[in-house]
Amino acid sequence: MKLESITLHRVAMPLVRPFETSFARQTTRVLLLVHVRTSEAEGWAECVAMEGPLYSSEYVEGAEHVIRSYLAPALLKATDVTAETVGPLTAFVVGHRMAKAALEAAVLDAQLRASGVSFGGYLGAVTDWVDCGVSVGISPDLDTLLDEVSGYVDEGYRRIKLKIKPGWDLIPVYAVRELIGPDMLLQVDANTAYSAADIAHLGRLDPFNLVLIEQPFVEEDIATHVALARAIETPVCLDESIVSVGVALDAIERGATSVINIKPGRVGGYLESVRIHDLCVAHEVPVWCGGMLETGVGRAANVALAALPGFILPGDTSASSRYFAEDLVEEPFVLGTGEHAGQLAVPTGPGTGVTVREDLVRDWALVAPVTLR
Ligand SMILES: O=C(O)CCC(=O)N[C@@H](C(=O)O)c1ccccc1
C-alpha cells in the first residue's frame, strides 16, 4: 500500500475514577491516536505512551515528535508499506517502540480492512471469547479498595490485579484475599517500586496464593528478578523489562521470569508480540495481555491478541467502562454474561473490527490534529 497521509490526534479522556500506581496518579488519560489514509483503506491505532515519561521513557509529545520528524517521513516516502515492512522501514530510529507500534498497528488496520481480514484472523486467534482480569489502583484506604474490588467481582471479572508499593502491599493483599476467598485469581503489580533489600519482605506474599508478582524491580535489573524468583514461591512476571523477543528469551533463560505480560505498545507492535508469544509457548511460559488504559481502539487489537493460544491467563483486557464513561469507538467493550461472564468477545470485523467515533476524537482533542503527507 502507498501511505497518502498520517494524522496524529492528541485526545484527553476523563477516567471514571482516579488510577494510582507506584509511579503516578491519573484522573485523565491523555493519549495519541494515529490515523493513516492509504491507497486501499484507512486505519486507526492507539499509541500507549502516557502523557509523561513515568512508566517508560516514551510519552505523548515525544511520540508525536519522533513520528513527525523521523518515522512518518520514512513511511510516507516508501512506495509500498505493509505492517510487515513498517519495522524495517523505521529500524534506523533507535527505540521509540510505542510510537513505532502505533504506526505499525494503524497500517495493519488499514491493510486488514482492505483485505477483509480481522486482527484475530491475522494474528492467529483460536477463541471467540477471552477471559478478562481487572487492574485495581492504589486506594486512599482499605474500605475504598474493598468496595472497588467487590464491584469488579460482581461484574464477573476472572482475575484481580492489585497495584502495590512499599507501605501498601501485605495489608491490602490480605484484605482482598479475605474478601474474594481462597480460589479467585489474584496477582500484584509493583511497577518497579521495590529493591533487592525487599526480597525477604516480598516473600511474605507467598501465603496469599498469588498468580504472580509483576515487575517488582527496575526494567534493567534482570539479576535481582532472578534472585527474587529463587527466594520466593510466587511466580515472578515481567512487564517493563520485556521490550523485545530477545530480552524475553534472555529473561526466561536466566530464570528471571516464569510468566510474561505482553503489551504490544511496549514491545514495538503486534508482530513482535506474536514473536514473544511464540517464544513463550515454546518455553512453556504462560503469557497474558497487559493494558495501558487503552480506549476501544487499542483495546480491540489487544483482545484479538489475547485470543492466541499461549494467552492462558486473564489479561488487563477489561470492559471499556472500567476506565471510561464513554468510549472512542461505536462498539464499547462490555463483559459477557452467562457462560461468557467475565469475558470479552473477540471482534470479528475487518481490521480491529471497531469504528472510531471521530466526533468524540474531535470534541476531546487537546490540540489541533497534525496531518503529514
Ligand atoms: O487495564 C488497563 O488497561 C491498565 C492495566 C494496568 O494496570 N496497566 C499499568 C501497568 O503497569 O501494567 C499501567 C497503567 C498506566 C500506565 C502504565 C502502566
PDB file of all heavy atoms in Angstrom, residues 45-46 48 100-102 104-106 108 119 122-123 262-265 267-277 289-290 294 297-306 308 352:
ATOM      1  N   ALA A  45      -5.003   3.500  15.014  1.00  0.00           N
ATOM      2  CA  ALA A  45      -4.328   2.794  16.105  1.00  0.00           C
ATOM      3  C   ALA A  45      -4.096   3.767  17.252  1.00  0.00           C
ATOM      4  O   ALA A  45      -4.173   4.980  17.084  1.00  0.00           O
ATOM      5  CB  ALA A  45      -3.001   2.203  15.647  1.00  0.00           C
ATOM      6  N   GLU A  46      -3.853   3.182  18.417  1.00  0.00           N
ATOM      7  CA  GLU A  46      -3.655   3.970  19.640  1.00  0.00           C
ATOM      8  C   GLU A  46      -2.235   3.776  20.133  1.00  0.00           C
ATOM      9  O   GLU A  46      -1.781   2.635  20.254  1.00  0.00           O
ATOM     10  CB  GLU A  46      -4.662   3.494  20.685  1.00  0.00           C
ATOM     11  CG  GLU A  46      -4.621   4.212  22.005  1.00  0.00           C
ATOM     12  CD  GLU A  46      -5.829   3.894  22.879  1.00  0.00           C
ATOM     13  OE1 GLU A  46      -6.765   3.219  22.402  1.00  0.00           O
ATOM     14  OE2 GLU A  46      -5.823   4.312  24.040  1.00  0.00           O
ATOM     15  N   VAL A  48       0.317   3.770  23.118  1.00  0.00           N
ATOM     16  CA  VAL A  48       0.091   3.513  24.538  1.00  0.00           C
ATOM     17  C   VAL A  48       0.929   4.425  25.439  1.00  0.00           C
ATOM     18  O   VAL A  48       0.799   4.378  26.661  1.00  0.00           O
ATOM     19  CB  VAL A  48       0.380   2.036  24.922  1.00  0.00           C
ATOM     20  CG1 VAL A  48      -0.533   1.103  24.155  1.00  0.00           C
ATOM     21  CG2 VAL A  48       1.848   1.700  24.719  1.00  0.00           C
ATOM     22  N   LYS A 100       6.496   3.493  17.209  1.00  0.00           N
ATOM     23  CA  LYS A 100       6.557   2.574  16.068  1.00  0.00           C
ATOM     24  C   LYS A 100       5.369   1.605  16.092  1.00  0.00           C
ATOM     25  O   LYS A 100       4.772   1.310  15.049  1.00  0.00           O
ATOM     26  CB  LYS A 100       7.865   1.775  16.107  1.00  0.00           C
ATOM     27  CG  LYS A 100       9.124   2.604  15.860  1.00  0.00           C
ATOM     28  CD  LYS A 100      10.372   1.735  16.031  1.00  0.00           C
ATOM     29  CE  LYS A 100      11.649   2.501  15.753  1.00  0.00           C
ATOM     30  NZ  LYS A 100      12.867   1.657  16.003  1.00  0.00           N
ATOM     31  N   ALA A 101       5.028   1.123  17.268  1.00  0.00           N
ATOM     32  CA  ALA A 101       3.917   0.168  17.387  1.00  0.00           C
ATOM     33  C   ALA A 101       2.606   0.782  16.908  1.00  0.00           C
ATOM     34  O   ALA A 101       1.799   0.124  16.240  1.00  0.00           O
ATOM     35  CB  ALA A 101       3.778  -0.282  18.836  1.00  0.00           C
ATOM     36  N   ALA A 102       2.394   2.049  17.225  1.00  0.00           N
ATOM     37  CA  ALA A 102       1.146   2.711  16.811  1.00  0.00           C
ATOM     38  C   ALA A 102       1.077   2.824  15.295  1.00  0.00           C
ATOM     39  O   ALA A 102       0.034   2.560  14.684  1.00  0.00           O
ATOM     40  CB  ALA A 102       1.052   4.085  17.463  1.00  0.00           C
ATOM     41  N   GLU A 104       2.683   0.889  13.097  1.00  0.00           N
ATOM     42  CA  GLU A 104       2.530  -0.462  12.549  1.00  0.00           C
ATOM     43  C   GLU A 104       1.081  -0.932  12.686  1.00  0.00           C
ATOM     44  O   GLU A 104       0.504  -1.483  11.740  1.00  0.00           O
ATOM     45  CB  GLU A 104       3.449  -1.438  13.278  1.00  0.00           C
ATOM     46  CG  GLU A 104       3.336  -2.877  12.782  1.00  0.00           C
ATOM     47  CD  GLU A 104       4.087  -3.839  13.687  1.00  0.00           C
ATOM     48  OE1 GLU A 104       5.289  -4.048  13.434  1.00  0.00           O
ATOM     49  OE2 GLU A 104       3.484  -4.358  14.643  1.00  0.00           O
ATOM     50  N   ALA A 105       0.474  -0.652  13.829  1.00  0.00           N
ATOM     51  CA  ALA A 105      -0.904  -1.121  14.055  1.00  0.00           C
ATOM     52  C   ALA A 105      -1.889  -0.385  13.152  1.00  0.00           C
ATOM     53  O   ALA A 105      -2.852  -0.981  12.655  1.00  0.00           O
ATOM     54  CB  ALA A 105      -1.280  -0.931  15.520  1.00  0.00           C
ATOM     55  N   ALA A 106      -1.638   0.895  12.910  1.00  0.00           N
ATOM     56  CA  ALA A 106      -2.543   1.658  12.031  1.00  0.00           C
ATOM     57  C   ALA A 106      -2.442   1.143  10.598  1.00  0.00           C
ATOM     58  O   ALA A 106      -3.451   0.984   9.904  1.00  0.00           O
ATOM     59  CB  ALA A 106      -2.205   3.142  12.096  1.00  0.00           C
ATOM     60  N   LEU A 108      -1.494  -1.885   9.816  1.00  0.00           N
ATOM     61  CA  LEU A 108      -2.086  -3.220   9.834  1.00  0.00           C
ATOM     62  C   LEU A 108      -3.610  -3.120   9.769  1.00  0.00           C
ATOM     63  O   LEU A 108      -4.267  -3.861   9.028  1.00  0.00           O
ATOM     64  CB  LEU A 108      -1.665  -3.971  11.094  1.00  0.00           C
ATOM     65  CG  LEU A 108      -2.200  -5.409  11.239  1.00  0.00           C
ATOM     66  CD1 LEU A 108      -1.809  -6.275  10.039  1.00  0.00           C
ATOM     67  CD2 LEU A 108      -1.697  -6.028  12.551  1.00  0.00           C
ATOM     68  N   PHE A 119      -8.151  -8.686  12.876  1.00  0.00           N
ATOM     69  CA  PHE A 119      -6.899  -8.765  13.637  1.00  0.00           C
ATOM     70  C   PHE A 119      -6.719 -10.183  14.183  1.00  0.00           C
ATOM     71  O   PHE A 119      -5.650 -10.777  14.092  1.00  0.00           O
ATOM     72  CB  PHE A 119      -6.924  -7.757  14.802  1.00  0.00           C
ATOM     73  CG  PHE A 119      -6.045  -6.548  14.593  1.00  0.00           C
ATOM     74  CD1 PHE A 119      -6.294  -5.670  13.554  1.00  0.00           C
ATOM     75  CD2 PHE A 119      -4.974  -6.287  15.443  1.00  0.00           C
ATOM     76  CE1 PHE A 119      -5.487  -4.547  13.364  1.00  0.00           C
ATOM     77  CE2 PHE A 119      -4.163  -5.163  15.264  1.00  0.00           C
ATOM     78  CZ  PHE A 119      -4.423  -4.299  14.217  1.00  0.00           C
ATOM     79  N   TYR A 122      -5.707 -12.558  11.510  1.00  0.00           N
ATOM     80  CA  TYR A 122      -4.330 -12.329  11.059  1.00  0.00           C
ATOM     81  C   TYR A 122      -3.310 -12.785  12.106  1.00  0.00           C
ATOM     82  O   TYR A 122      -2.302 -13.410  11.777  1.00  0.00           O
ATOM     83  CB  TYR A 122      -4.142 -10.837  10.777  1.00  0.00           C
ATOM     84  CG  TYR A 122      -2.720 -10.431  10.438  1.00  0.00           C
ATOM     85  CD1 TYR A 122      -2.233 -10.519   9.135  1.00  0.00           C
ATOM     86  CD2 TYR A 122      -1.856  -9.955  11.428  1.00  0.00           C
ATOM     87  CE1 TYR A 122      -0.926 -10.144   8.817  1.00  0.00           C
ATOM     88  CE2 TYR A 122      -0.551  -9.586  11.133  1.00  0.00           C
ATOM     89  CZ  TYR A 122      -0.100  -9.675   9.835  1.00  0.00           C
ATOM     90  OH  TYR A 122       1.205  -9.310   9.533  1.00  0.00           O
ATOM     91  N   LEU A 123      -3.607 -12.505  13.395  1.00  0.00           N
ATOM     92  CA  LEU A 123      -2.627 -12.784  14.462  1.00  0.00           C
ATOM     93  C   LEU A 123      -2.610 -14.261  14.842  1.00  0.00           C
ATOM     94  O   LEU A 123      -1.625 -14.759  15.376  1.00  0.00           O
ATOM     95  CB  LEU A 123      -2.923 -11.922  15.690  1.00  0.00           C
ATOM     96  CG  LEU A 123      -2.787 -10.399  15.517  1.00  0.00           C
ATOM     97  CD1 LEU A 123      -3.227  -9.690  16.796  1.00  0.00           C
ATOM     98  CD2 LEU A 123      -1.356 -10.005  15.152  1.00  0.00           C
ATOM     99  N   ILE A 262       2.531  -9.456  28.014  1.00  0.00           N
ATOM    100  CA  ILE A 262       2.809  -8.925  26.677  1.00  0.00           C
ATOM    101  C   ILE A 262       1.957  -7.682  26.445  1.00  0.00           C
ATOM    102  O   ILE A 262       0.720  -7.749  26.497  1.00  0.00           O
ATOM    103  CB  ILE A 262       2.524  -9.954  25.577  1.00  0.00           C
ATOM    104  CG1 ILE A 262       3.452 -11.170  25.726  1.00  0.00           C
ATOM    105  CG2 ILE A 262       2.712  -9.319  24.186  1.00  0.00           C
ATOM    106  CD1 ILE A 262       3.262 -12.254  24.665  1.00  0.00           C
ATOM    107  N   LYS A 263       2.617  -6.550  26.225  1.00  0.00           N
ATOM    108  CA  LYS A 263       1.947  -5.296  25.879  1.00  0.00           C
ATOM    109  C   LYS A 263       2.467  -4.888  24.498  1.00  0.00           C
ATOM    110  O   LYS A 263       3.646  -4.533  24.359  1.00  0.00           O
ATOM    111  CB  LYS A 263       2.299  -4.182  26.859  1.00  0.00           C
ATOM    112  CG  LYS A 263       1.634  -4.271  28.206  1.00  0.00           C
ATOM    113  CD  LYS A 263       2.083  -3.095  29.064  1.00  0.00           C
ATOM    114  CE  LYS A 263       1.471  -3.147  30.437  1.00  0.00           C
ATOM    115  NZ  LYS A 263       2.049  -2.097  31.307  1.00  0.00           N
ATOM    116  N   PRO A 264       1.602  -4.952  23.498  1.00  0.00           N
ATOM    117  CA  PRO A 264       2.075  -4.678  22.134  1.00  0.00           C
ATOM    118  C   PRO A 264       2.812  -3.346  21.982  1.00  0.00           C
ATOM    119  O   PRO A 264       3.852  -3.271  21.343  1.00  0.00           O
ATOM    120  CB  PRO A 264       0.777  -4.707  21.323  1.00  0.00           C
ATOM    121  CG  PRO A 264      -0.131  -5.609  22.092  1.00  0.00           C
ATOM    122  CD  PRO A 264       0.186  -5.357  23.542  1.00  0.00           C
ATOM    123  N   GLY A 265       2.300  -2.290  22.655  1.00  0.00           N
ATOM    124  CA  GLY A 265       2.963  -1.000  22.514  1.00  0.00           C
ATOM    125  C   GLY A 265       4.364  -1.009  23.102  1.00  0.00           C
ATOM    126  O   GLY A 265       5.299  -0.437  22.547  1.00  0.00           O
ATOM    127  N   VAL A 267       6.492  -3.449  23.309  1.00  0.00           N
ATOM    128  CA  VAL A 267       7.466  -4.287  22.596  1.00  0.00           C
ATOM    129  C   VAL A 267       7.635  -3.878  21.134  1.00  0.00           C
ATOM    130  O   VAL A 267       8.370  -4.532  20.391  1.00  0.00           O
ATOM    131  CB  VAL A 267       7.076  -5.776  22.693  1.00  0.00           C
ATOM    132  CG1 VAL A 267       6.966  -6.217  24.146  1.00  0.00           C
ATOM    133  CG2 VAL A 267       5.779  -6.079  21.927  1.00  0.00           C
ATOM    134  N   GLY A 268       6.918  -2.830  20.708  1.00  0.00           N
ATOM    135  CA  GLY A 268       7.129  -2.350  19.335  1.00  0.00           C
ATOM    136  C   GLY A 268       6.063  -2.784  18.362  1.00  0.00           C
ATOM    137  O   GLY A 268       6.148  -2.484  17.173  1.00  0.00           O
ATOM    138  N   GLY A 269       5.046  -3.487  18.848  1.00  0.00           N
ATOM    139  CA  GLY A 269       3.930  -3.789  17.955  1.00  0.00           C
ATOM    140  C   GLY A 269       3.379  -5.194  18.090  1.00  0.00           C
ATOM    141  O   GLY A 269       3.883  -6.036  18.860  1.00  0.00           O
ATOM    142  N   TYR A 270       2.308  -5.432  17.311  1.00  0.00           N
ATOM    143  CA  TYR A 270       1.613  -6.722  17.402  1.00  0.00           C
ATOM    144  C   TYR A 270       2.418  -7.845  16.756  1.00  0.00           C
ATOM    145  O   TYR A 270       2.316  -9.000  17.175  1.00  0.00           O
ATOM    146  CB  TYR A 270       0.203  -6.610  16.789  1.00  0.00           C
ATOM    147  CG  TYR A 270      -0.703  -5.804  17.692  1.00  0.00           C
ATOM    148  CD1 TYR A 270      -0.749  -4.416  17.602  1.00  0.00           C
ATOM    149  CD2 TYR A 270      -1.421  -6.415  18.705  1.00  0.00           C
ATOM    150  CE1 TYR A 270      -1.520  -3.670  18.479  1.00  0.00           C
ATOM    151  CE2 TYR A 270      -2.202  -5.679  19.589  1.00  0.00           C
ATOM    152  CZ  TYR A 270      -2.232  -4.302  19.474  1.00  0.00           C
ATOM    153  OH  TYR A 270      -2.970  -3.549  20.369  1.00  0.00           O
ATOM    154  N   LEU A 271       3.237  -7.519  15.762  1.00  0.00           N
ATOM    155  CA  LEU A 271       4.054  -8.571  15.128  1.00  0.00           C
ATOM    156  C   LEU A 271       5.111  -9.080  16.103  1.00  0.00           C
ATOM    157  O   LEU A 271       5.312 -10.275  16.256  1.00  0.00           O
ATOM    158  CB  LEU A 271       4.708  -8.037  13.839  1.00  0.00           C
ATOM    159  CG  LEU A 271       3.824  -8.080  12.573  1.00  0.00           C
ATOM    160  CD1 LEU A 271       2.565  -7.262  12.724  1.00  0.00           C
ATOM    161  CD2 LEU A 271       4.614  -7.611  11.366  1.00  0.00           C
ATOM    162  N   GLU A 272       5.768  -8.149  16.837  1.00  0.00           N
ATOM    163  CA  GLU A 272       6.749  -8.565  17.853  1.00  0.00           C
ATOM    164  C   GLU A 272       6.033  -9.289  18.992  1.00  0.00           C
ATOM    165  O   GLU A 272       6.563 -10.240  19.568  1.00  0.00           O
ATOM    166  CB  GLU A 272       7.516  -7.348  18.376  1.00  0.00           C
ATOM    167  CG  GLU A 272       8.644  -7.691  19.368  1.00  0.00           C
ATOM    168  CD  GLU A 272       9.885  -8.288  18.706  1.00  0.00           C
ATOM    169  OE1 GLU A 272       9.875  -8.512  17.478  1.00  0.00           O
ATOM    170  OE2 GLU A 272      10.867  -8.527  19.428  1.00  0.00           O
ATOM    171  N   SER A 273       4.807  -8.859  19.299  1.00  0.00           N
ATOM    172  CA  SER A 273       4.026  -9.525  20.358  1.00  0.00           C
ATOM    173  C   SER A 273       3.803 -10.990  20.012  1.00  0.00           C
ATOM    174  O   SER A 273       3.920 -11.867  20.882  1.00  0.00           O
ATOM    175  CB  SER A 273       2.673  -8.826  20.525  1.00  0.00           C
ATOM    176  OG  SER A 273       2.849  -7.499  20.959  1.00  0.00           O
ATOM    177  N   VAL A 274       3.506 -11.273  18.754  1.00  0.00           N
ATOM    178  CA  VAL A 274       3.300 -12.668  18.338  1.00  0.00           C
ATOM    179  C   VAL A 274       4.617 -13.439  18.421  1.00  0.00           C
ATOM    180  O   VAL A 274       4.645 -14.592  18.869  1.00  0.00           O
ATOM    181  CB  VAL A 274       2.704 -12.743  16.910  1.00  0.00           C
ATOM    182  CG1 VAL A 274       2.673 -14.182  16.394  1.00  0.00           C
ATOM    183  CG2 VAL A 274       1.291 -12.148  16.899  1.00  0.00           C
ATOM    184  N   ARG A 275       5.727 -12.757  18.093  1.00  0.00           N
ATOM    185  CA  ARG A 275       7.022 -13.435  18.203  1.00  0.00           C
ATOM    186  C   ARG A 275       7.314 -13.789  19.673  1.00  0.00           C
ATOM    187  O   ARG A 275       7.799 -14.883  19.984  1.00  0.00           O
ATOM    188  CB  ARG A 275       8.143 -12.556  17.626  1.00  0.00           C
ATOM    189  CG  ARG A 275       8.104 -12.443  16.096  1.00  0.00           C
ATOM    190  CD  ARG A 275       9.322 -11.742  15.528  1.00  0.00           C
ATOM    191  NE  ARG A 275       9.210 -10.293  15.614  1.00  0.00           N
ATOM    192  CZ  ARG A 275       8.731  -9.511  14.637  1.00  0.00           C
ATOM    193  NH1 ARG A 275       8.264 -10.050  13.526  1.00  0.00           N
ATOM    194  NH2 ARG A 275       8.685  -8.197  14.784  1.00  0.00           N
ATOM    195  N   ILE A 276       6.983 -12.878  20.593  1.00  0.00           N
ATOM    196  CA  ILE A 276       7.210 -13.155  22.014  1.00  0.00           C
ATOM    197  C   ILE A 276       6.263 -14.271  22.470  1.00  0.00           C
ATOM    198  O   ILE A 276       6.661 -15.197  23.195  1.00  0.00           O
ATOM    199  CB  ILE A 276       7.014 -11.887  22.856  1.00  0.00           C
ATOM    200  CG1 ILE A 276       8.088 -10.860  22.514  1.00  0.00           C
ATOM    201  CG2 ILE A 276       7.043 -12.209  24.363  1.00  0.00           C
ATOM    202  CD1 ILE A 276       7.867  -9.493  23.127  1.00  0.00           C
ATOM    203  N   HIS A 277       5.024 -14.204  22.014  1.00  0.00           N
ATOM    204  CA  HIS A 277       4.049 -15.263  22.339  1.00  0.00           C
ATOM    205  C   HIS A 277       4.580 -16.622  21.909  1.00  0.00           C
ATOM    206  O   HIS A 277       4.605 -17.583  22.691  1.00  0.00           O
ATOM    207  CB  HIS A 277       2.721 -14.966  21.644  1.00  0.00           C
ATOM    208  CG  HIS A 277       1.784 -16.141  21.555  1.00  0.00           C
ATOM    209  ND1 HIS A 277       1.790 -17.028  20.496  1.00  0.00           N
ATOM    210  CD2 HIS A 277       0.830 -16.585  22.401  1.00  0.00           C
ATOM    211  CE1 HIS A 277       0.865 -17.958  20.691  1.00  0.00           C
ATOM    212  NE2 HIS A 277       0.276 -17.731  21.837  1.00  0.00           N
ATOM    213  N   CYS A 289      -2.186 -10.619  28.306  1.00  0.00           N
ATOM    214  CA  CYS A 289      -2.131  -9.346  27.596  1.00  0.00           C
ATOM    215  C   CYS A 289      -2.256  -8.192  28.588  1.00  0.00           C
ATOM    216  O   CYS A 289      -3.264  -8.054  29.279  1.00  0.00           O
ATOM    217  CB  CYS A 289      -3.264  -9.275  26.568  1.00  0.00           C
ATOM    218  SG  CYS A 289      -3.173  -7.799  25.534  1.00  0.00           S
ATOM    219  N   GLY A 290      -1.218  -7.376  28.652  1.00  0.00           N
ATOM    220  CA  GLY A 290      -1.251  -6.214  29.541  1.00  0.00           C
ATOM    221  C   GLY A 290      -2.070  -5.090  28.938  1.00  0.00           C
ATOM    222  O   GLY A 290      -2.485  -5.142  27.776  1.00  0.00           O
ATOM    223  N   GLU A 294      -6.110   1.605  27.483  1.00  0.00           N
ATOM    224  CA  GLU A 294      -6.491   1.904  26.100  1.00  0.00           C
ATOM    225  C   GLU A 294      -7.980   2.195  25.969  1.00  0.00           C
ATOM    226  O   GLU A 294      -8.810   1.612  26.684  1.00  0.00           O
ATOM    227  CB  GLU A 294      -6.156   0.723  25.177  1.00  0.00           C
ATOM    228  CG  GLU A 294      -4.687   0.496  24.907  1.00  0.00           C
ATOM    229  CD  GLU A 294      -4.038  -0.492  25.857  1.00  0.00           C
ATOM    230  OE1 GLU A 294      -4.629  -0.764  26.931  1.00  0.00           O
ATOM    231  OE2 GLU A 294      -2.955  -0.987  25.555  1.00  0.00           O
ATOM    232  N   VAL A 297     -10.103   1.598  20.777  1.00  0.00           N
ATOM    233  CA  VAL A 297      -9.254   1.462  19.593  1.00  0.00           C
ATOM    234  C   VAL A 297      -8.136   0.460  19.879  1.00  0.00           C
ATOM    235  O   VAL A 297      -7.994  -0.558  19.198  1.00  0.00           O
ATOM    236  CB  VAL A 297      -8.653   2.821  19.168  1.00  0.00           C
ATOM    237  CG1 VAL A 297      -7.772   2.667  17.949  1.00  0.00           C
ATOM    238  CG2 VAL A 297      -9.759   3.830  18.922  1.00  0.00           C
ATOM    239  N   GLY A 298      -7.369   0.710  20.944  1.00  0.00           N
ATOM    240  CA  GLY A 298      -6.288  -0.209  21.301  1.00  0.00           C
ATOM    241  C   GLY A 298      -6.816  -1.478  21.951  1.00  0.00           C
ATOM    242  O   GLY A 298      -6.240  -2.553  21.792  1.00  0.00           O
ATOM    243  N   ARG A 299      -7.928  -1.340  22.662  1.00  0.00           N
ATOM    244  CA  ARG A 299      -8.496  -2.481  23.378  1.00  0.00           C
ATOM    245  C   ARG A 299      -8.920  -3.571  22.395  1.00  0.00           C
ATOM    246  O   ARG A 299      -8.736  -4.758  22.646  1.00  0.00           O
ATOM    247  CB  ARG A 299      -9.676  -2.009  24.239  1.00  0.00           C
ATOM    248  CG  ARG A 299     -10.059  -2.880  25.396  1.00  0.00           C
ATOM    249  CD  ARG A 299     -10.874  -2.089  26.405  1.00  0.00           C
ATOM    250  NE  ARG A 299     -10.049  -1.098  27.091  1.00  0.00           N
ATOM    251  CZ  ARG A 299      -9.323  -1.366  28.179  1.00  0.00           C
ATOM    252  NH1 ARG A 299      -9.355  -2.580  28.709  1.00  0.00           N
ATOM    253  NH2 ARG A 299      -8.582  -0.439  28.736  1.00  0.00           N
ATOM    254  N   ALA A 300      -9.486  -3.162  21.243  1.00  0.00           N
ATOM    255  CA  ALA A 300      -9.938  -4.130  20.233  1.00  0.00           C
ATOM    256  C   ALA A 300      -8.770  -4.976  19.747  1.00  0.00           C
ATOM    257  O   ALA A 300      -8.870  -6.202  19.643  1.00  0.00           O
ATOM    258  CB  ALA A 300     -10.584  -3.392  19.056  1.00  0.00           C
ATOM    259  N   ALA A 301      -7.639  -4.330  19.472  1.00  0.00           N
ATOM    260  CA  ALA A 301      -6.466  -5.065  18.984  1.00  0.00           C
ATOM    261  C   ALA A 301      -5.913  -5.964  20.080  1.00  0.00           C
ATOM    262  O   ALA A 301      -5.500  -7.102  19.827  1.00  0.00           O
ATOM    263  CB  ALA A 301      -5.412  -4.075  18.497  1.00  0.00           C
ATOM    264  N   ASN A 302      -5.941  -5.474  21.323  1.00  0.00           N
ATOM    265  CA  ASN A 302      -5.433  -6.285  22.440  1.00  0.00           C
ATOM    266  C   ASN A 302      -6.288  -7.528  22.663  1.00  0.00           C
ATOM    267  O   ASN A 302      -5.765  -8.620  22.949  1.00  0.00           O
ATOM    268  CB  ASN A 302      -5.399  -5.455  23.726  1.00  0.00           C
ATOM    269  CG  ASN A 302      -4.263  -4.457  23.751  1.00  0.00           C
ATOM    270  OD1 ASN A 302      -3.417  -4.429  22.853  1.00  0.00           O
ATOM    271  ND2 ASN A 302      -4.255  -3.607  24.764  1.00  0.00           N
ATOM    272  N   VAL A 303      -7.608  -7.374  22.553  1.00  0.00           N
ATOM    273  CA  VAL A 303      -8.489  -8.525  22.758  1.00  0.00           C
ATOM    274  C   VAL A 303      -8.226  -9.582  21.687  1.00  0.00           C
ATOM    275  O   VAL A 303      -8.219 -10.784  21.971  1.00  0.00           O
ATOM    276  CB  VAL A 303      -9.964  -8.077  22.768  1.00  0.00           C
ATOM    277  CG1 VAL A 303     -10.919  -9.263  22.717  1.00  0.00           C
ATOM    278  CG2 VAL A 303     -10.255  -7.245  24.022  1.00  0.00           C
ATOM    279  N   ALA A 304      -7.952  -9.135  20.465  1.00  0.00           N
ATOM    280  CA  ALA A 304      -7.622 -10.087  19.390  1.00  0.00           C
ATOM    281  C   ALA A 304      -6.326 -10.825  19.717  1.00  0.00           C
ATOM    282  O   ALA A 304      -6.234 -12.052  19.572  1.00  0.00           O
ATOM    283  CB  ALA A 304      -7.491  -9.348  18.061  1.00  0.00           C
ATOM    284  N   LEU A 305      -5.327 -10.096  20.212  1.00  0.00           N
ATOM    285  CA  LEU A 305      -4.060 -10.733  20.581  1.00  0.00           C
ATOM    286  C   LEU A 305      -4.273 -11.721  21.724  1.00  0.00           C
ATOM    287  O   LEU A 305      -3.701 -12.827  21.721  1.00  0.00           O
ATOM    288  CB  LEU A 305      -3.039  -9.664  20.990  1.00  0.00           C
ATOM    289  CG  LEU A 305      -1.673 -10.175  21.442  1.00  0.00           C
ATOM    290  CD1 LEU A 305      -0.877 -10.737  20.254  1.00  0.00           C
ATOM    291  CD2 LEU A 305      -0.887  -9.063  22.132  1.00  0.00           C
ATOM    292  N   ALA A 306      -5.100 -11.345  22.673  1.00  0.00           N
ATOM    293  CA  ALA A 306      -5.326 -12.191  23.863  1.00  0.00           C
ATOM    294  C   ALA A 306      -6.017 -13.504  23.501  1.00  0.00           C
ATOM    295  O   ALA A 306      -6.114 -14.416  24.325  1.00  0.00           O
ATOM    296  CB  ALA A 306      -6.147 -11.428  24.898  1.00  0.00           C
ATOM    297  N   LEU A 308      -4.891 -15.574  21.256  1.00  0.00           N
ATOM    298  CA  LEU A 308      -3.893 -16.557  20.805  1.00  0.00           C
ATOM    299  C   LEU A 308      -3.723 -17.645  21.853  1.00  0.00           C
ATOM    300  O   LEU A 308      -3.978 -17.411  23.044  1.00  0.00           O
ATOM    301  CB  LEU A 308      -2.565 -15.844  20.512  1.00  0.00           C
ATOM    302  CG  LEU A 308      -2.372 -15.361  19.065  1.00  0.00           C
ATOM    303  CD1 LEU A 308      -3.412 -14.336  18.664  1.00  0.00           C
ATOM    304  CD2 LEU A 308      -0.960 -14.800  18.848  1.00  0.00           C
ATOM    305  N   THR A 352      -9.410  -4.018  13.103  1.00  0.00           N
ATOM    306  CA  THR A 352      -9.720  -4.155  14.542  1.00  0.00           C
ATOM    307  C   THR A 352     -11.198  -4.469  14.767  1.00  0.00           C
ATOM    308  O   THR A 352     -11.586  -4.862  15.863  1.00  0.00           O
ATOM    309  CB  THR A 352      -9.381  -2.861  15.287  1.00  0.00           C
ATOM    310  OG1 THR A 352     -10.129  -1.795  14.677  1.00  0.00           O
ATOM    311  CG2 THR A 352      -7.890  -2.559  15.237  1.00  0.00           C
TER     312      THR A 352
END
